[in-house]
Amino acid sequence: MKRRQFLQATTATLIGASGTSFAATKRKRPNLLYVFDDQHRAASLPGEPYSSVIAPALDAFRRANFSMDQCVSNYPLCTPYRGMFMTGRWPHQTGLWRNNVNIKADELSLGRLFKGQGYHTAYVGKWHLGHGNKFIPVGPDRMGFDDWHVWEKTTAHFGSFTYDPDTGARQQPDGWSPIAMTDQAVGIIEGRKQAPDEPWMMVVSYNPPHPPYQAIPEHERPYHSDDFKLRPNVRFSMKDMENPVSALRDEAGLRKVMLDYYGAITGIDEQFARLLKALDESGQADNTIVVFTSDHGEMLGSHGRMQKQCPFEEAVRVPFIVRYPGVTKSKAKSDTLFAAIDIYPTICGLAGIAVPKHCEGRDLSAVMRGEPLAKAPEHAFLMNADDGGKEDDGDGPGPGPARKSPPNTARYPPLVNLPVFRGIRTTTHTYAVADSGRWLLYDNVADPYQLKNLAADPAQRPLMEHLDALILAWLKETGDPFPYADKVQQMSDYPT
């Protein structure tokens, strides 16, 4: 489908979608634009050490507004993150513990909550909360979203598709899919001018820079891969293996992937700039909360790994930048520990909506407003419950105690998205216990690139036992069946 035809069809749908205005006596509430891309690590923001990323809009947005510099993804994988963001609950509580599991229609989703508060709600882009690429008709499975522009097969960045939200007719515009997604989102922003007294919230979810690391050639041209600086913890763990991941075989392979990864971020930066421009030109910027973040990071060769699902900083630390004019601090940042499980309640706090009792995380909006906390977070829990086996097409069995990481699988080679673990990220340390035993402990202050594993150091035993107690209490409180008490009785030989 040509882009012009796609835009005409989308615009017709958007013009016909309008909500009921609030009474003029109601206090004007903020809009919310929540934008996240996929697999964008904080280490690949402009200005970060060893980063060569060119992203002027993100760079300016971060410098001008408020950045939570210690934002971590509790479970660095697409569906589990999206489940926490959408429900405010842990993956083992919702069943959203691995990719392609269906979100239950009775969850009090963020979309449903905002709709119940009188908001017009919209979702554009990658969904990845089940239903196997099928059209989702109007009803409870749309989780409270009025404007519904969910895309499927989003890893085909030049071949993904969406559906007409009313008829279900398949629509597949030409070109790089984030551009068409942004067209839809811009149309929604412009259309909301017709209902100025009705607040709106919209989620825009892009797939790049997620693999297959595809970018438009023009976004790669400013880069010279020979100039890329490799992080100190990069190593080539598969140089002697048969059928290796090319990026882990040698430096040339990694630099090619880095070129594509950085180029994709540059492309997303252009789309984010278009969204900000649409807010400005529609006169809605001053009353709109804007968030830019990502679901998880990307190892990109660090520790001899690619992708995510591990507790290293490259996989778990992500951007989280927020702007709410006149409310959040400008030109500021915080090292307060902030996690994916905290996003739902924090968004509620920013919007002035009471936090539902079911939320497992904390409302940390006070930090963004520059207000003191009675007690700052001291830790965030980390996990991977996916053993690399066959993904579910629907409701999975959940992460039971029998699940165990194989040394290799048909889906993944070693050091890609394994092992199964539970862990904790404190303000100073990262600690994890795998299904094969105590696995790793890093002092992130003294060793920011996590080069020295302290798990076998007897002097660290008191610290690890303290962290064990925190993790065990969390597992019990939240109903996670991982057999932690048994696993800490031995040391893991899984590589770091």
Side-chain angles (χ1 to χ4, degrees), residues 23-160:
T25 54
K26 289 271 189 177
R27 176 179 176 268
K28 193 171 181 66
R29 289 172 291 171
N31 307 314
L32 169 65
L33 175 61
Y34 188 95
V35 183
F36 69 110
D37 57 3
D38 199 310
Q39 211 149 315
H40 186 170
R41 63 187 190 178
S44 290
L45 285 170
E48 289 293 308
Y50 300 95
S51 173
S52 301
V53 165
I54 300 170
L58 278 173
D59 189 29
F61 188 72
R62 187 185 188 192
R63 291 176 184 274
N65 298 295
F66 194 84
S67 176
M68 296 292 284
D69 282 357
Q70 296 300 320
C71 180
V72 299
S73 182
N74 303 97
Y75 188 151
L77 181 63
C78 300
T79 295
Y81 167 89
R82 291 161 192 272
M84 287 184 283
F85 162 60
M86 194 60 66
T87 72
R89 303 201 298 142
W90 293 106
H92 47 280
Q93 296 172 327
T94 61
L96 299 167
W97 62 280
R98 66 189 311 178
N99 280 344
N100 299 329
V101 179
N102 293 345
I103 187 171
K104 293 180 174 60
D106 61 355
E107 290 280 356
L108 181 54
S109 70
L110 201 61
R112 191 164 282 141
L113 176 69
F114 271 73
K115 184 175 176 63
Q117 294 290 316
Y119 275 71
H120 182 88
T121 56
Y123 195 102
V124 177
K126 180 176 179 176
W127 182 242
H128 216 180
L129 286 168
H131 300 284
N133 299 317
K134 299 175 184 176
F135 173 65
I136 301 175
V138 174
D141 286 331
R142 289 192 177 181
M143 306 306 294
F145 289 99
D146 299 313
D147 282 323
W148 183 256
H149 298 285
V150 163
W151 287 63
E152 305 294 352
K153 296 290 184 182
T154 51
T155 53
H157 296 142
F158 292 89
S160 53

Side-chain angles (χ1 to χ4, degrees), residues 29-362:
R29 289 172 291 171
N31 307 314
L32 169 65
L33 175 61
Y34 188 95
V35 183
F36 69 110
D37 57 3
D38 199 310
Q39 211 149 315
H40 186 170
R41 63 187 190 178
S44 290
L45 285 170
E48 289 293 308
Y50 300 95
S51 173
S52 301
V53 165
I54 300 170
L58 278 173
D59 189 29
F61 188 72
R62 187 185 188 192
R63 291 176 184 274
N65 298 295
F66 194 84
S67 176
M68 296 292 284
D69 282 357
Q70 296 300 320
C71 180
V72 299
S73 182
N74 303 97
Y75 188 151
L77 181 63
C78 300
T79 295
Y81 167 89
R82 291 161 192 272
M84 287 184 283
F85 162 60
M86 194 60 66
T87 72
R89 303 201 298 142
W90 293 106
H92 47 280
Q93 296 172 327
T94 61
L96 299 167
W97 62 280
R98 66 189 311 178
N99 280 344
N100 299 329
V101 179
N102 293 345
I103 187 171
K104 293 180 174 60
D106 61 355
E107 290 280 356
L108 181 54
S109 70
L110 201 61
R112 191 164 282 141
L113 176 69
F114 271 73
K115 184 175 176 63
Q117 294 290 316
Y119 275 71
H120 182 88
T121 56
Y123 195 102
V124 177
K126 180 176 179 176
W127 182 242
H128 216 180
L129 286 168
H131 300 284
N133 299 317
K134 299 175 184 176
F135 173 65
I136 301 175
V138 174
D141 286 331
R142 289 192 177 181
M143 306 306 294
F145 289 99
D146 299 313
D147 282 323
W148 183 256
H149 298 285
V150 163
W151 287 63
E152 305 294 352
K153 296 290 184 182
T154 51
T155 53
H157 296 142
F158 292 89
S160 53
F161 60 90
T162 185
Y163 296 102
D164 182 286
D166 297 321
T167 68
R170 178 165 162 161
Q171 299 174 330
Q172 188 166 353
D174 299 331
W176 199 53
S177 59
I179 296 174
M181 293 175 186
T182 307
D183 290 342
Q184 291 177 324
V186 167
I188 292 171
I189 291 170
E190 292 174 345
R192 297 317 303 159
K193 291 188 296 184
Q194 299 176 15
D197 295 322
E198 181 182 36
W200 55 267
M201 69 87 77
M202 177 164 56
V203 178
V204 180
S205 173
Y206 299 117
N207 194 61
H210 186 286
Y213 311 112
Q214 293 172 319
I216 298 175
E218 68 186 65
H219 294 148
E220 296 184 352
R221 290 192 189 107
Y223 294 102
H224 301 281
S225 61
D226 290 343
D227 296 336
F228 294 160
K229 297 177 181 178
L230 303 185
R231 289 171 68 81
N233 54 14
V234 166
R235 70 172 191 269
F236 302 99
S237 56
M238 297 186 183
K239 58 184 177 182
D240 298 321
M241 292 183 181
E242 295 183 13
N243 303 315
V245 175
S246 63
L248 299 181
R249 180 184 57 215
D250 55 38
E251 191 169 316
L254 178 60
R255 288 183 180 277
K256 174 60 174 71
V257 170
M258 291 175 72
L259 175 65
D260 296 336
Y261 183 78
Y262 287 175
I265 293 173
T266 298
I268 293 299
D269 183 74
E270 286 191 1
Q271 302 314 308
F272 183 60
R274 291 180 60 204
L275 295 174
L276 296 180
K277 182 180 179 182
L279 281 176
D280 287 337
E281 292 183 347
S282 66
Q284 299 177 88
D286 287 345
N287 193 47
T288 300
I289 301 165
V290 180
V291 171
F292 182 89
T293 185
S294 192
D295 56 352
H296 51 73
E298 158 65 59
M299 293 303 294
L300 211 61
S302 289
H303 299 277
R305 291 172 170 264
M306 291 297 290
Q307 298 206 40
K308 60 263 186 177
Q309 289 177 246
C310 52
F312 300 107
E313 287 291 275
E314 292 82 3
V316 302
R317 197 166 74 85
V318 295
F320 194 95
I321 312 164
V322 60
R323 181 184 77 186
Y324 183 2
V327 177
T328 55
K329 293 185 70 177
S330 300
K331 299 180 181 180
K333 60 185 178 180
S334 173
D335 285 331
T336 301
L337 200 54
F338 180 61
I341 198 67
D342 302 317
I343 293 174
Y344 186 127
T346 298
I347 291 297
C348 290
L350 285 171
I353 295 173
V355 177
K357 293 181 179 179
H358 76 266
C359 286
E360 295 286 341
R362 289 182 60 180

Side-chain angles (χ1 to χ4, degrees), residues 399-479:
R403 305 201 70 83
K404 182 175 177 62
S405 299
N408 199 353
T409 72
R411 281 180 65 208
Y412 301 128
L415 299 182
V416 179
N417 297 351
L418 294 170
V420 170
F421 72 89
R422 300 296 186 273
I424 194 169
R425 163 73 149 70
T426 73
T427 55
T428 57
H429 289 76
T430 296
Y431 173 61
V433 172
D435 52 10
S436 52
R438 287 188 198 272
W439 179 30
L440 58 82
L441 174 69
Y442 292 106
D443 182 337
N444 297 327
V445 177
D447 180 21
Y449 297 100
Q450 299 176 318
L451 295 169
K452 185 177 182 181
N453 185 0
L454 303 173
D457 183 352
Q460 303 300 322
R461 193 63 180 246
L463 172 60
M464 290 189 289
E465 289 179 349
H466 168 67
L467 299 177
D468 288 335
L470 293 175
I471 296 170
L472 280 164
W474 167 63
L475 297 177
K476 181 178 180 181
E477 179 182 346
T478 62

